[in-house]
Amino acid sequence: MDFYTQYKEDNLKLESRFPLYRCPAVNADLVGILTRLSIADNIKKSILAIDSAMRLGRNVDDDNKAHTLLATDLLSAQFYHYNAEDFDQAVFSNLTECVKRYNLLMSAFHTSQDESLIPEIEAAFVLPFISMDDPAVQQMIRHSELYTK
């Protein structure tokens, strides 16, 4: 079973355990990039989980906060769970640094609305494994919803 199918099955299990949880749509561009990368499936799933959590976190408001915050928490927990499978300290450390960097960049973006930050925000979790100049990464960046906020 490929990493994406496993990820979807894991989320169906979460949906059955937590009635308020609905797995958010993943970034299709990211799935395409991860499919091409030669990294462990647990790392691909962890990147999908944290990317989905962070994207969903951009949309928290008073009307959706109960289920959105639950979803971001569960997806963040999945990130750590997936990293624990076939644990690789170096990769884990690198990805947790990416999470910190992402949060710093998003904070700066919210303050400044500086669109030059968007490429690194969008590619934050794949940059340890692929160049920003890769055409698929560039496509993912062009599709960013941050350009319309």
Side-chain angles (χ1 to χ4, degrees), residues 11 18 20 22 39-40 42 69-70 88 102 120 124 126 149:
N11 276 280
F18 300 96
L20 287 179
R22 290 295 167 261
I39 58 176
N42 66 307
L69 292 174
L70 173 65
D88 181 324
Y102 177 94
E120 193 175 351
V126 295
K149 287 200 176 224

Side-chain angles (χ1 to χ4, degrees), residues 3-21:
F3 77 95
Y4 185 48
T5 302
Q6 291 172 351
Y7 177 82
K8 291 189 294 187
E9 284 189 9
D10 291 344
N11 276 280
L12 286 174
K13 290 176 189 170
L14 286 174
E15 287 179 3
S16 69
R17 289 179 58 203
F18 300 96
L20 287 179
Y21 177 72

Side-chain angles (χ1 to χ4, degrees), residues 113-124:
Q113 296 298 302
D114 180 358
E115 290 188 354
S116 71
L117 300 172
I118 294 174
E120 193 175 351
I121 291 168
E122 290 299 329

Side-chain angles (χ1 to χ4, degrees), residues 40-149:
D41 282 355
N42 66 307
I43 301 305
K44 292 177 183 183
K45 292 184 295 183
S46 75
I47 291 170
L48 270 181
I50 199 65
D51 183 80
S52 295
M54 297 303 196
R55 286 176 192 284
L56 190 59
R58 296 177 191 170
N59 300 311
V60 176
D61 61 33
D62 284 336
D63 296 328
N64 68 13
K65 64 185 172 196
H67 71 271
T68 302
L69 292 174
L70 173 65
T72 60
D73 283 352
L74 289 172
L75 289 164
S76 294
Q78 270 190 314
F79 167 77
Y80 292 104
H81 171 78
Y82 289 141
N83 271 285
E85 296 174 358
D86 299 321
F87 185 69
D88 181 324
Q89 181 65 51
V91 172
F92 176 71
S93 295
N94 205 345
L95 288 174
T96 55
E97 285 299 317
C98 291
V99 171
K100 287 192 262 183
R101 178 80 178 140
Y102 177 94
N103 286 327
L104 289 170
L105 290 166
M106 279 303 295
S107 178
F109 179 76
H110 285 305
T111 301
S112 69
Q113 296 298 302
D114 180 358
E115 290 188 354
S116 71
L117 300 172
I118 294 174
E120 193 175 351
I121 291 168
E122 290 299 329
F125 306 116
V126 295
L127 286 179
F129 310 103
I130 193 168
S131 169
M132 180 82 80
D133 297 327
D134 183 272
V137 174
Q138 288 298 307
Q139 176 178 304
M140 181 172 66
I141 292 165
R142 282 192 305 275
H143 290 161
S144 176
E145 66 186 21
L146 294 175
Y147 286 118
T148 60
K149 287 200 176 224

